[in-house]
Amino acid sequence: MTDTIRRLLAQNGKLHTPIEQLSNSADLYDAGLTPFAAIRVMLALEEAFDVEFPPEMLRRQSFSSIDAISACLAHATPIAKLRRAA
């Protein structure tokens, strides 16, 4: 999971610090992540992991580090579950 998160951050995060130089706990906003880029990362994560982040997770701290993103993904709702509920 961490490798996929790192790849998506590299592709969509527009970080000014290379993702390879960041620890999993490093502050992504200090590394150049903007609110707009965070949205792009969130959408890429939802697509890659086939999940939807609930509204209460859509805040700055949810995407502040790779560890924070991993924790959010563990609690995101699988799309298949949403389809069954509809």
Side-chain angles (χ1 to χ4, degrees):
M1 177 185 324
T2 302
D3 289 340
T4 302
I5 294 169
R6 286 179 168 278
R7 179 178 51 80
L8 294 173
L9 280 165
Q11 292 171 348
N12 299 287
K14 301 203 182 273
L15 304 174
H16 56 69
T17 303
I19 195 71
E20 299 80 21
Q21 294 179 10
L22 298 174
S23 70
N24 288 347
S25 61
D27 188 311
L28 296 173
Y29 291 98
D30 286 347
L33 188 68
T34 65
F36 180 73
I39 292 169
R40 290 178 49 148
V41 169
M42 180 201 68
L43 294 172
L45 289 164
E46 286 183 334
E47 184 175 329
F49 291 99
D50 202 28
V51 297
E52 183 174 303
F53 291 104
E56 61 270 13
M57 284 187 192
L58 304 180
R59 55 182 193 239
R60 182 181 175 102
Q61 68 192 53
S62 296
F63 299 92
S64 63
S65 69
I66 293 169
D67 287 338
I69 292 170
S70 293
C72 285
L73 282 168
H75 294 95
T77 307
I79 294 294
K81 184 177 181 181
L82 290 172
R83 288 185 185 133
R84 284 194 304 268

